[in-house]
Amino acid sequence: MKSINELLSYKTNNKPITLITCYDYWSAKIINETDIDAVLVGDSAAMVMHGFETTINAEAQMLAYHIAAVNRGLTEKLLIADMPFLAHRKGKKNALNVIEKFMKQGANAVKIEGAGDNIEIIKYVVDSGIPVMAHIGLTPQSINSIGGYLVQGKNNGTAVKLIQDAKNLENAGCFSIVLELMPAELAKEITEAINIPTIGIGAGPYTSGQIIVLQDLLGLSKNFNPKFLRKYMDGFGLIKTALNNYNKDVKERNYPNEKESY
Ligand code: KIV
């Protein structure tokens, strides 16, 4: 699937949508053979792959390398790329230069955090023929304003604002909206208030689909254990054991053996 139309039809047909983040070629090759619907090269790459504390350190060039690597392994799925911190706030020309770079590396769409006065640039990007996924609720690029990874929309005023943001983003032409870290009932209300699909992360079960960071799902992030995260394997433990087994075999002169030698 390489088009946004299928994602849109999923909502119409009440079929859940699955998205996963991916930053590299070998993971992309595995995801390519799964039933997962679409892939995001998220700016979380700055944290997961480069060890930064926030997504603020994701640079356009950094993400471009990840997009290119993922695209080489991903032939079957829609590839969405995150607009990095401030890239869409430095004027239309800068926004389009970054998007051009991403799309030439293989992105089919971009994700832009926030609503408010971002709506104008989002509309411009959409009018330029670029599919835009929006992202509201907890928007990690604004972590310094928000003050932490906190659940958003918990009181009536902020909830009403988020519902209005979602409507404005739909009117601006976005093809879907990520809803991050908000009460499940609010995510449900937003999902019912708009026609485009909502993709939740820490937003409960009533969104049109879910997204999760690949390394979190695989249990590779040992100390990251938010309530919403379901780890589908103990990747950290399995990899550590494999590495220790390799180390032991070499130290005990059990690897390579005769069959593994020329
Ligand atoms: O960068 C990212 O991984 C994201 C998802 C968590 C939605 O934006």
Side-chain angles (χ1 to χ4, degrees):
M1 188 192 74
K2 276 282 190 185
S3 109
I4 59 168
N5 296 339
E6 202 155 339
L7 290 195
L8 294 169
S9 77
Y10 279 23
K11 176 158 184 179
T12 315
N13 297 318
N14 202 19
K15 187 176 165 193
I17 302 165
T18 46
L19 270 93
I20 191 84
T21 65
C22 182
Y23 318 116
D24 65 86
Y25 171 69
W26 69 267
S27 306
K29 282 208 299 181
I30 298 172
I31 293 167
N32 204 42
E33 292 193 18
T34 69
D35 298 327
I36 284 172
D37 297 311
V39 166
L40 171 74
V41 177
D43 58 356
S44 52
M47 301 169 76
V48 179
M49 302 303 282
H50 297 270
F52 289 109
E53 255 189 55
T54 71
T55 58
I56 287 169
N57 291 86
E59 303 285 345
Q61 188 53 53
M62 176 200 284
L63 293 183
Y65 285 133
H66 288 294
I67 294 161
V70 170
N71 186 49
R72 284 191 282 271
L74 199 76
T75 53
E76 305 297 326
K77 321 246 177 220
L78 186 78
L79 175 49
I80 304 155
D82 244 333
M83 279 296 269
F85 182 57
L86 296 183
H88 46 287
R89 304 282 306 182
K90 294 179 181 168
K92 291 176 177 170
K93 189 162 181 258
N94 187 65
L96 287 199
N97 282 344
V98 171
I99 293 169
E100 184 178 7
K101 184 181 252 192
F102 286 1
M103 299 202 69
K104 285 183 176 164
Q105 299 296 349
N108 307 116
V110 293
K111 175 163 79 60
I112 300 180
E113 284 188 15
D117 62 5
N118 275 350
I119 296 282
E120 193 191 328
I121 186 74
I122 287 172
K123 205 173 169 318
Y124 179 74
V125 172
V126 170
D127 289 346
S128 306
I130 296 139
V132 175
M133 172 181 264
H135 183 158
I136 58 173
L138 190 277
T139 45
Q141 291 173 7
S142 306
I143 197 66
N144 288 302
S145 307
I146 297 169
Y149 293 94
L150 308 168
V151 177
Q152 301 295 297
K154 285 203 325 195
N155 64 53
N156 192 45
T158 52
V160 167
K161 185 183 174 303
L162 284 169
I163 296 167
Q164 190 56 52
D165 284 346
K167 289 180 182 172
N168 294 343
L169 288 161
E170 176 176 34
N171 288 336
C174 293
F175 74 90
S176 66
I177 308 181
V178 168
L179 306 180
E180 181 163 357
L181 223 53
M182 66 178 67
E185 283 303 321
L186 173 58
K188 182 171 188 262
E189 229 182 299
I190 294 174
T191 303
E192 287 170 355
I194 57 177
N195 293 310
I196 54 173
T198 56
I199 309 295
I201 174 163
Y206 309 117
T207 51
S208 321
Q210 300 289 330
I211 183 164
I212 201 160
V213 170
L214 175 66
Q215 283 75 1
D216 297 344
L217 175 153
L218 298 178
L220 295 170
S221 2
K222 194 176 159 198
N223 299 319
F224 184 63
N225 297 298
K227 185 178 175 186
F228 72 80
L229 177 61
R230 186 179 298 176
K231 295 185 179 180
Y232 283 84
M233 61 185 263
D234 174 21
F236 190 97
L238 286 170
I239 291 175
K240 188 175 160 186
T241 302
L243 292 170
N244 274 333
N245 287 343
Y246 158 70
N247 179 67
K248 184 168 173 282
D249 286 351
V250 172
K251 296 281 162 69
E252 293 176 357
R253 298 199 181 282
N254 280 330
Y255 177 80
N257 62 23
E258 214 173 301
K259 274 195 198 152
E260 290 156 339
S261 305
Y262 300 97

